[in-house]
Amino acid sequence: MIVTEHSTRPLGEEGLANYVQRLRGQLSLTQKELSFKAGIHIQTIRKIEGGQTSRLNQKAKGGLAAALGIPPEYLDAAAKKVSPETITTLKFCPKCWTPGTTPDQMWTDLRSKYCFACGTALRNRCVSCNEPIMSLKFKFCPYCGANYKQNQTTS
């Protein structure tokens, strides 16, 4: 099965347990493989998928998001059984962000508007087509092909 951007979004009333199980299945990972990729204990994966917990600490949330290739906000949305848009949008600094990496923690704060490192305005939409940025796995917009990374001009 090909995993598309749309298929990684939490579905309506899908809880955290079903969401993590679905994504793990799409990636053909065992619980043990997911726990290794996420850098968290397998018991944590079992508790999440067993519905015994829907609260994730920062380490578990960040590790799972990176291992599953999703924004951490998707895990929050699934835990609350709401649309990801109601949680927050994915933001990044077009100068400091390294394509393919997870966004810096300081950029994901709801109140953050500018990068604390360089002062550049954070971006949550494509500059070319204005579509919301749903993943930073790749450096190009899946809708129009525009590069997310702001070009560094040398004088």
Side-chain angles (χ1 to χ4, degrees):
M1 172 183 218
I2 296 173
V3 179
T4 62
E5 192 61 41
H6 184 58
S7 68
T8 62
R9 294 174 56 82
L11 306 172
E13 291 294 312
E14 179 179 43
L16 184 63
N18 291 335
Y19 180 58
V20 172
Q21 282 177 345
R22 178 170 61 86
L23 292 183
R24 184 173 60 79
Q26 286 176 346
L27 295 170
S28 300
L29 295 172
T30 64
Q31 286 182 337
K32 186 175 183 177
E33 290 168 334
L34 179 58
S35 73
F36 180 76
K37 271 184 89 171
I40 57 178
H41 199 277
I42 191 168
Q43 277 299 84
T44 304
I45 302 293
R46 289 181 181 147
K47 284 181 180 179
I48 292 167
E49 290 190 1
Q52 296 169 340
T53 186
S54 62
R55 295 184 59 160
L56 301 175
N57 63 30
Q58 289 295 60
K59 179 185 176 191
K61 187 188 322 179
L64 269 179
L68 296 171
I70 58 170
E73 292 81 13
Y74 282 16
L75 295 168
D76 291 334
K80 295 178 182 177
K81 296 184 180 182
V82 297
S83 166
E85 290 80 18
T86 60
I87 299 294
T88 186
T89 57
L90 186 61
K91 297 181 285 189
F92 71 101
C93 174
K95 283 189 177 179
C96 299
W97 169 67
T98 303
T101 62
T102 56
D104 192 302
Q105 192 68 26
M106 67 182 164
W107 303 332
T108 60
D109 187 282
L110 288 172
R111 295 173 291 174
S112 295
K113 303 286 184 221
Y114 298 94
C115 177
F116 296 114
C118 71
T120 302
L122 298 178
R123 185 179 295 165
N124 66 358
R125 293 186 169 272
C126 175
V127 156
S128 290
C129 67
N130 205 34
E131 286 291 327
I133 295 170
M134 303 310 281
S135 171
L136 291 175
K137 189 172 184 179
F138 305 105
K139 63 181 178 178
F140 297 99
C141 174
Y143 301 102
C144 71
N147 191 335
Y148 289 148
K149 183 85 170 151
Q150 194 173 65
N151 291 334
Q152 302 282 347
T153 56
T154 55
S155 302

